[in-house]
Amino acid sequence: MPLVIVATLVVSSMSAVLALVIVLVDLVVNNYGEVKIDVNDGAKTLTVKGGSSLLSTLGGEGIFIPSSCGGRATCGVCKVRVASDVGPHLPTELPFMSGAEIKDNIRLSCQIKVKADIKIVIPEELFAIQRHRARVAEIVDLTYDTKLIRFSLLEPAEMKFTSGQFAQIVVPPYERVREETVRAYSFASTPARPNEVEFIVRLVPGGTATTYLHKHLAVGQELAVVGPMGEFRLHDNEAAMICIAGGSGMAPIKSILFDMRERGIGKPAVWYFFGAVSKRDLYLVDLFRELEASWPSFHFVPALSAPLPDDHWDGETGLVTTVTKKYMDEKMDKSAPKEAYLCGSPGMIDASVALLKSEGIPEDKIYYDKFS
Ligand SMILES: Cc1cc2nc3c(=O)[nH]c(=O)nc-3n(C[C@H](O)[C@H](O)[C@H](O)COP(=O)(O)OP(=O)(O)OC[C@H]3O[C@@H](n4cnc5c(N)ncnc54)[C@H](O)[C@@H]3O)c2cc1C
Ligand code: FES
């Protein structure tokens, strides 16, 4: 037999043996058998197959912990309190934990594996989160890289959310992506239409979910939407309201402002600063101008950080934080109590929080969702 064929046979046999050994080791080492998850001190007891992350195990049982990055330990959203010993915090968890959270054994549910019986404590409202079958009803190009996607909910046919919250869009496997991809998107629509939900999705070049949602998703297609989730929402008080958003951070602010109008909720003054680079990044300007015309205490201020000569821009120019500061110093009542609602990239949020604190807004009156 030629040497090359013998060599090929030997290499293939060795690979097959190696694969078999890996499968056997996985079966032995990672076989934790059945384990029990005690939820909220006996309120629910789940018997599950051990070995997977707490996040995915609970999801398989219909308990959806809010999360955004699909378990990559980059969003820090999937926190739960673990009331039994699951070992020390992992290096991947620590960047997201305060000292108090570490003491309280708050954990990233995507990072801990269910290997033995475990006790967890989660807020009751998480039991209301459901996985909905949804059909794409409309896709609208808002800019060159931002789309509005509207879903009709099929089963369950309604999602009772609060403006400011988010849902997870479950992107099916496609091309070289072998598994479902789960990402968070804030509602852009209002709770008045619980049978339809709208999202504003900005394309992240090379991004797994946004590439699918921008380049593959079609009207009529069905996929899953899980929600509602999140703590970002309107607070009931008499403070003047400052909203700052950039990019797709428009979504929850739009939902909150239109929800206020629909429900007749007033505030002494409402300012909305929307930051974009140049005119091609601006959208829904006419919609907010119309809102401004019908709502005397509402002011919409789009700001461009780098308008192009062809933009012929005569609006505010500069970083959205610089423009916000200008308006706070020159146009707002300095002594009036204020609160702030921020949405967008972590960098924009951090810069906005620093500005608002320096302008005297207490930290506990600054609410935000970082689109990390
Ligand atoms: C609470 C919450 C609400 C959100 N709401 C919205 C929303 O309404 N609309 C929306 O478009 N997005 C929103 N996001 C962001 C969204 O969940 C995804 O992270 C984003 O769409 C990227 O997903 P992807 O799978 O395409 O990219 P990934 O495959 O996850 O990322 C690819 C690469 O791009 C980087 N990256 C990820 N996100 C960004 C970003 N935004 N800008 C620059 N680089 C990035 C990653 O670090 C990675 O290197 C929200 C996030 C959170 C936490
Ligand atoms: S899902 Fe756990 S950190 Fe993002």
Side-chain angles (χ1 to χ4, degrees):
M1 197 184 290
L3 196 61
V4 66
I5 297 181
V6 175
T8 311
L9 281 174
V10 169
V11 170
S12 340
S13 323
M14 280 170 67
S15 309
V17 170
L18 198 63
L20 189 66
V21 169
I22 290 171
V23 170
L24 289 174
V25 167
D26 191 51
L27 274 175
V28 174
V29 176
N30 290 334
N31 184 5
Y32 300 98
E34 279 195 345
V35 296
K36 288 198 174 1
I37 305 180
D38 175 303
V39 185
N40 293 358
D41 217 4
K44 259 182 208 269
T45 305
L46 312 169
T47 305
V48 299
K49 188 175 169 298
S52 300
S53 76
L54 179 59
L55 179 74
S56 64
T57 307
L58 289 172
E61 297 294 314
I63 298 179
F64 300 101
I65 305 296
S67 65
S68 164
C69 70
R72 293 176 303 174
T74 56
C75 72
V77 177
C78 65
K79 291 176 180 173
V80 296
R81 189 155 86 75
V82 177
S84 52
D85 184 11
V86 288
H89 283 80
L90 301 171
T92 44
E93 296 177 89
L94 291 172
F96 300 100
M97 300 292 162
S98 66
E101 286 176 324
I102 291 176
K103 233 170 144 190
D104 213 16
N105 209 21
I106 306 292
R107 309 299 298 255
L108 290 186
S109 58
C110 69
Q111 294 301 294
I112 50 175
K113 266 193 179 182
V114 181
K115 298 177 182 172
D117 292 357
I118 179 172
K119 292 180 174 197
I120 61 166
V121 181
I122 56 174
E124 286 289 316
E125 60 261 27
L126 296 195
F127 295 125
I129 300 173
Q130 289 181 299
R131 184 176 168 122
H132 298 249
R133 275 199 307 118
R135 179 174 296 127
V136 182
E138 191 180 18
I139 302 177
V140 180
D141 284 318
L142 296 174
T143 71
Y144 66 101
D145 71 350
T146 303
K147 288 183 192 291
L148 183 140
I149 305 172
R150 183 161 58 83
F151 292 93
S152 298
L153 298 175
L154 304 175
E155 183 57 43
E158 289 196 350
M159 197 186 297
K160 289 190 170 45
F161 63 95
T162 302
S163 56
Q165 285 192 292
F166 67 90
Q168 296 171 332
I169 299 182
V170 182
V171 168
Y174 72 101
E175 293 179 344
R176 277 180 291 174
V177 183
R178 297 273 172 86
E179 294 183 338
E180 286 184 340
T181 306
V182 177
R183 296 284 185 269
Y185 294 96
S186 303
F187 298 104
S189 50
T190 67
R193 286 180 292 136
N195 56 337
E196 290 191 331
V197 287
E198 282 175 12
F199 302 98
I200 292 174
V201 178
R202 188 174 193 185
L203 179 68
V204 170
T208 311
T210 54
T211 299
Y212 182 86
L213 295 171
H214 272 251
K215 312 231 185 276
H216 299 266
L217 192 73
V219 171
Q221 194 180 326
E222 274 188 31
L223 40 68
V225 177
V226 181
M229 300 177 173
E231 302 297 318
F232 186 63
R233 62 190 67 195
L234 184 70
H235 292 254
D236 185 12
N237 57 42
E238 282 304 303
M241 184 175 177
I242 296 174
C243 305
I244 308 177
S248 55
M250 164 73 85
I253 303 293
K254 172 177 177 287
S255 177
I256 288 175
L257 293 174
F258 279 87
D259 185 32
M260 287 171 73
R261 282 311 273 165
E262 284 167 6
R263 295 197 291 140
I265 297 174
K267 295 263 182 185
V270 181
W271 292 87
Y272 179 18
F273 300 91
F274 180 70
V277 178
S278 66
K279 227 172 177 174
R280 69 179 197 147
D281 303 295
L282 276 182
Y283 58 94
L284 299 183
V285 172
D286 291 346
L287 184 75
F288 282 95
R289 289 282 175 238
E290 279 168 28
L291 190 65
E292 206 174 26
S294 68
W295 190 0
S297 57
F298 173 67
H299 312 278
F300 177 56
V301 185
L304 297 187
S305 59
L308 302 170
D310 282 353
D311 285 347
H312 306 295
W313 179 246
D314 56 6
E316 293 296 341
T317 303
L319 287 176
V320 71
T321 40
T322 312
V323 174
T324 306
K325 179 171 169 42
K326 178 177 140 188
Y327 276 68
M328 289 185 81
D329 291 345
E330 294 174 8
K331 306 225 181 223
M332 294 185 205
D333 178 354
K334 279 260 174 209
S335 60
K338 297 181 191 69
E339 58 172 356
Y341 296 83
L342 322 173
C343 242
S345 69
M348 190 217 79
I349 304 261
D350 291 344
S352 302
V353 171
L355 163 74
L356 296 166
K357 275 167 64 183
S358 74
E359 292 285 315
I361 302 188
E363 202 163 358
D364 64 351
K365 294 280 179 286
I366 304 174
Y367 316 107
Y368 54 81
D369 247 353
K370 284 185 181 177
F371 285 7
S372 50

